[in-house]
Amino acid sequence: MRNLLADARLEDPCPPTLPPFSLTAEVTPVRRRRILFVTSELTDFVKAGGLGDVSAALPRALLAEHDIRVLLPGYRQVLKGAVACRVVGHLPGQAALPPCDIGELQLADGLRVYVVICPELYDREGTPYGDDAGNEWPDNHIRFARLSLAAADMAAGLATPGWCPDLLHVNDWPSALAPAYMAWRGQATPSVLTIHNLGYQGACPLGSCAELGLPEHAGLPESMEFYGKLSFLKAGINHASHITTVSETYAREITGEAFGCGLQGVLAQRRREGRLSGITHGIDASWDARSDPHLVARFDARRLQGKRRNAEYVERSFGLLPGRGPLFAVVSRLVQQKGIDLTLAIADRMVEAGGRLVAIGRGEPPLERAMAQLAERYPGRVGVRIGFDETEARRIYAASDFLLMPSRYEPCGLSQMYAQRLGSLPIARCTGGLADTIVDGVTGLLFREGDPDSYFEAVQRALNIHRYPELLNAMRCKAMEAPQYWSKAVRPYTRLYRDLLAELPVSVRR
Ligand code: ADP
Ligand code: GLC
């Protein structure tokens, strides 16, 4: 096994690229800081959930102030979709991590994306994390260590001559090893780890240290050991310069036992040190009922006929009978986190009360089966599609009266913001980003306890509101105006980057 520490490259390999010298300007030219945004999903090519959307929108919103570029694994969808990808660098293998090429492509709107090209790890049919049947790839630790090491190598100037980042922004466990690789090699590049979901930590056997090319002390609790395994996410928490998570409430919640997934101790410590903060997401401008080309008909808060036409489409497409009661919707990964079992538990009562339900989702096979059985039990009242379809999802938000989000925990949640924009009021558990982005009784309905009765009380409130069209419309108007676009929501990131880069000693600035 090669020693990572021996590979350290601390000299400055990339001279700064400054804007052309201006004869008239007296100010010292300052170049935009280079940020490498490392992610395992990018909606332009591949999306499993909200991370894909955030990775597509946040760097674009930051482009005005930063030279920010994205690093992504070269999945089959990326290689197929990226016609003009040119190879700009090569990285050697390390332990069981195969060598890879770094490709570069520029998307139509100017966003630059680097791609880790390593077909044996990424060129597969399926999602970023597993096959189409929902089984995770057994070599995910290798696949995402490869991504993380490529990021650390780029920060060391090894892969992309002429461009090396001033700061790494890594996301969730798949890229969380990058700050650790950098720390073990003594690289000073600052890093931000954004935790989108503490429930997924990237655990692998303690004995994987050698395969991953990690120093032996990586297996210690103060590094990445976690209950007898190696945790990629813990490595990021221990080695990143700063940790953000995706809403203010979730940032508080994860420092306690109920939501901390066993990492609450170290997270509380980071919070005390001022190194853990919550930054609530925005949404991108494509979520606009007046212009979204995915919709069957466009509408706005004051002219809702178009919303009705989307509802007629969804009724037809999901085999629902027209009804006087509200149309409830589920657009979700079908996993424990999302409280799908709670929706199943109240479905009978909801239908008896005159509600209809439309659902699209995929995820854990038992939940997929239970949802499909619900549709069989209530033909014409419940329509379910197991699958992932962006256009249908947008039409369902636009068609429905209420979106159901009884999540057990929800770091931020984008679906409730999309629903609000498209005039569907979220009914959601008061937790994480749901608590921060829904105003109870104004833009949606919140309930506190995670049991079917509390949930059904909120559904009853919705049924009551639905009987008063003026009240429903007033709430819709508020909801459609409520979610922030990314253009505003990026400001805390800009401040954070600035602070971290300002702390950097001048000698290591590039
Ligand atoms: P999470 O990332 O936990 O899944 P978010 O609410 O942040 O939750 O983001 C979910 C994203 O995935 C939203 O863009 C939502 O519209 C989308 N989505 C979820 N399920 C489906 C589906 N079956 N088909 C299409 N889009 C879906
Ligand atoms: C995660 C969370 C979700 C969040 C998304 C994007 O998957 O479950 O709450 O909105 O990531 O940050």
Side-chain angles (χ1 to χ4, degrees):
M1 184 179 56
R2 284 170 60 190
N3 180 355
L4 269 178
L5 296 167
D7 286 343
R9 302 280 202 292
L10 288 179
E11 73 276 16
D12 180 356
C14 309
T17 49
L18 298 174
F21 181 66
S22 154
L23 283 176
T24 50
E26 284 182 18
V27 285
T28 318
V30 181
R31 71 166 167 79
R32 288 186 309 153
R33 292 315 196 92
R34 294 171 181 152
I35 315 290
L36 185 65
F37 190 92
V38 191
T39 181
S40 53
E41 297 177 35
L42 183 68
T43 291
D44 300 70
F45 299 108
V46 60
K47 153 178 176 181
L51 175 61
D53 285 2
V54 173
S55 304
L58 176 57
R60 286 179 161 103
L62 286 162
L63 261 179
E65 295 204 34
H66 304 277
D67 179 1
I68 181 162
R69 304 182 185 189
V70 174
L71 179 69
L72 177 77
Y75 306 118
R76 180 164 296 179
Q77 298 90 328
V78 179
L79 299 180
K80 266 192 196 159
V83 259
C85 182
R86 77 194 163 92
V87 172
V88 292
H90 176 80
L91 292 171
Q94 172 128 332
L97 312 187
C100 63
D101 286 329
I102 300 294
E104 183 183 347
L105 53 108
Q106 189 160 16
L107 301 182
D109 61 0
L111 183 70
R112 277 175 195 269
V113 178
Y114 291 109
V115 180
V116 183
I117 302 174
C118 187
E120 63 196 279
L121 297 185
Y122 307 126
D123 186 8
R124 301 175 186 179
E125 209 53 52
T127 74
Y129 314 109
D131 64 20
D132 283 324
N135 306 304
E136 289 192 357
W137 302 118
D139 58 348
N140 271 345
H141 60 305
I142 303 283
R143 298 172 76 234
F144 293 113
R146 178 63 276 179
L147 172 68
S148 300
L149 184 60
D153 282 349
M154 281 180 73
L158 297 178
T160 44
W163 198 88
C164 56
D166 299 306
L167 184 147
L168 279 196
H169 186 157
V170 303
N171 291 276
D172 269 351
W173 77 266
S175 46
L177 259 193
Y181 278 125
M182 292 201 300
W184 295 323
R185 301 199 299 202
Q187 287 174 243
T189 309
S191 56
V192 175
L193 163 68
T194 295
I195 299 175
H196 297 258
N197 195 331
L198 199 57
Y200 300 86
Q201 299 187 0
C204 67
L206 205 52
S208 311
C209 269
E211 267 186 299
L212 300 176
L214 311 181
E216 262 174 34
H217 57 84
L220 296 175
E222 52 277 21
S223 186
M224 61 185 290
E225 188 275 342
F226 187 61
Y227 290 100
K229 293 194 161 188
L230 293 176
S231 157
F232 278 40
L233 194 65
K234 187 172 176 192
I237 292 171
N238 274 327
H239 295 288
S241 324
H242 193 93
I243 299 151
T244 67
T245 186
V246 291
S247 68
E248 279 158 32
T249 297
Y250 193 60
R252 282 196 304 278
E253 286 175 341
I254 59 176
T255 59
E257 204 180 330
F259 294 91
C261 299
L263 288 165
Q264 61 272 15
V266 60
L267 289 165
Q269 173 70 22
R270 292 289 168 276
R271 186 116 172 130
R272 284 192 292 276
E273 294 161 358
R275 290 170 57 204
L276 165 64
S277 47
I279 305 180
T280 304
H281 291 326
I283 62 173
D284 72 79
S286 75
W287 294 90
D288 185 340
R290 291 167 305 183
S291 55
D292 188 340
H294 294 90
L295 302 187
V296 174
R298 257 72 61 201
F299 57 96
D300 64 36
R302 275 161 199 86
R303 280 177 299 273
L304 289 164
Q305 300 93 321
K307 188 165 173 71
R308 185 66 233 144
R309 286 194 43 214
N310 283 285
E312 285 160 5
Y313 165 83
V314 165
E315 284 168 2
R316 269 197 316 280
S317 159
F318 283 76
L320 295 179
L321 296 169
R324 288 175 157 263
L327 181 60
F328 294 97
V330 171
V331 179
S332 180
R333 290 185 291 120
L334 301 181
V335 294
Q336 269 294 100
Q337 174 198 344
K338 301 290 180 179
I340 302 298
D341 53 323
L342 294 175
T343 297
L344 289 162
I346 64 155
D348 293 339
R349 284 188 266 174
M350 207 163 66
V351 172
E352 273 159 31
R356 292 167 302 145
L357 175 66
V358 56
I360 189 164
R362 70 176 176 198
E364 294 163 11
L367 290 173
E368 289 186 353
R369 279 196 296 277
M371 287 301 284
Q373 282 160 4
L374 184 68
E376 282 165 22
R377 204 157 72 240
Y378 291 112
R381 311 305 304 268
V382 176
V384 171
R385 191 159 307 155
I386 302 302
F388 195 94
D389 185 321
E390 179 78 18
T391 300
E392 290 293 83
R394 287 181 183 243
R395 290 177 179 177
I396 291 173
Y397 291 126
S400 55
D401 298 302
F402 299 98
L403 179 81
L404 302 175
M405 257 182 114
S407 307
R408 295 215 147 64
Y409 70 94
E410 195 59 73
C412 179
L414 295 169
S415 308
Q416 80 283 3
M417 291 197 260
Y418 297 156
Q420 288 177 71
R421 265 277 166 215
L422 298 186
S424 177
L425 305 176
I427 301 176
R429 175 99 190 274
C430 186
T431 182
L434 299 172
D436 294 352
T437 59
I438 298 169
V439 184
D440 186 34
V442 180
T443 67
L445 298 165
L446 292 171
F447 61 96
R448 286 202 173 269
E449 305 306 325
D451 60 79
D453 288 342
S454 316
Y455 180 21
F456 191 65
E457 265 172 41
V459 168
Q460 267 173 328
R461 288 172 67 200
L463 288 158
N464 289 338
I465 290 166
H466 193 260
R467 285 190 199 104
Y468 298 94
E470 279 173 14
L471 175 56
L472 179 65
N473 280 346
M475 286 181 74
R476 267 189 191 139
C477 283
K478 294 274 186 208
M480 290 179 80
E481 311 272 289
Q484 285 208 90
Y485 282 125
W486 272 114
S487 47
K488 279 198 181 154
V490 290
R491 287 179 196 153
Y493 285 105
T494 306
R495 280 197 295 272
L496 175 63
Y497 291 166
R498 191 196 53 209
D499 291 352
L500 289 172
L501 289 164
E503 278 171 17
L504 206 60
V506 173
S507 57
V508 294
R509 282 192 188 159
R510 298 194 183 109

